[in-house]
Amino acid sequence: MGLRINDTIPNLTVTTDEGTVTLHDWIGDSWAILFSHPKDFTPVCTTEFGAVAQLAEEWAKRGTKVMGISVDGVEEHLRWKKDIETAGGAKPAFPIVADKDLTLSKAFDMLPAEAYLPEGATPNDTATVRVVFIIGPDKKLKLSMTYPMNVGRNFAEVLRALDALQTANGRGVATPANWTVGEDVIIPLSLNDAQAEEKFGPFTTVLPYLRKVGLKG
Ligand code: BEZ
C-alpha cells in the first residue's frame, strides 16, 4: 500500500549527495517536496531537475525545501548536477537521495508495477517513476502526483498546487479549478452563511453550495 494523503511519511534516514539526513529532521518546520526520477544522466530527468533548480527562489519564498531521489549513487549525483546546471542554467542547490538499495523508493511506493512481479522485474524496473510528494510541516503527506517515465512533470503546476495547499490549509478554505494566488477561494460547506459572513465578510453565492470570496492580506 502506498502513502495516502494525511499519512505521516516514514521517518527514514537516507544518504544524499549533501550527507546523511533523517527525513523528519530535515523537514523541520518547513514544507517539503520530495520528487523521484528514474535515473541520472537521462534526458527528461535532466530537464526536470533543471526546472526545479530554476525555481529555487520560489521554493524559498514558500518556506519549502526540495529533495530529489534516484536509485543512483552519490558519485553519479555529484557528476550529474554539473550537467543539470549546464542544461538548465541554474545550480541545483538541493540534495538528491542515493537510494541504491531502494529503501526509500519502496517505502514511498515509487516503483512501477512490474517491479513488484516476482518473475517480471527487469533492471529497468528498479528505476523509480516520476512522483512528487508535497509534505507539510506536520510531516504528513498533503498531495502526490505520479507521472510515467516518458512524460516530464510541470513544475509550474507543482508550485501552483503548493500555493493552493498553503492557502487552503492556512486559511480554512478550498480552491477552485485552475486557481492561482489572488483569485477568489471557496468557502467550506462546514460554515453556514452567517458563520461565513463573520469569518470572511461579504461573499458571493454562485450556488447554495458554491460560495466564493476574495481573501484579504
Ligand atoms: C529520461 O529521459 O528521463 C529517461 C529515459 C530513459 C529511462 C529513464 C529516464
Side-chain angles (χ1 to χ4, degrees), residues 3-11 24 138-141:
L3 280 184
R4 290 170 294 202
I5 285 181
N6 292 336
D7 275 343
T8 299
I9 64 151
N11 189 21
H24 287 198
D138 59 2
K139 322 295 182 285
K140 291 191 174 166
L141 178 66

Side-chain angles (χ1 to χ4, degrees), residues 6 17-19 44 68 78 90 92 108 111 130 147 165 169 171 180 201 206 216:
N6 292 336
D17 63 304
E18 295 185 1
V44 177
L78 290 172
F108 281 71
L111 296 168
R130 303 179 195 283
Y147 283 57
L165 282 168
N169 292 2
R171 307 293 292 268
T180 57
V206 182
K216 295 178 191 77

Side-chain angles (χ1 to χ4, degrees), residues 14 20 23 34 39 52-53 62 65 76 78 131 161 191 206:
V14 294
T20 300
L23 292 178
L34 300 185
K39 197 131 190 67
V52 174
R62 290 158 178 82
K65 296 178 178 176
E76 285 93 348
L78 290 172
V131 196
L191 298 181
V206 182

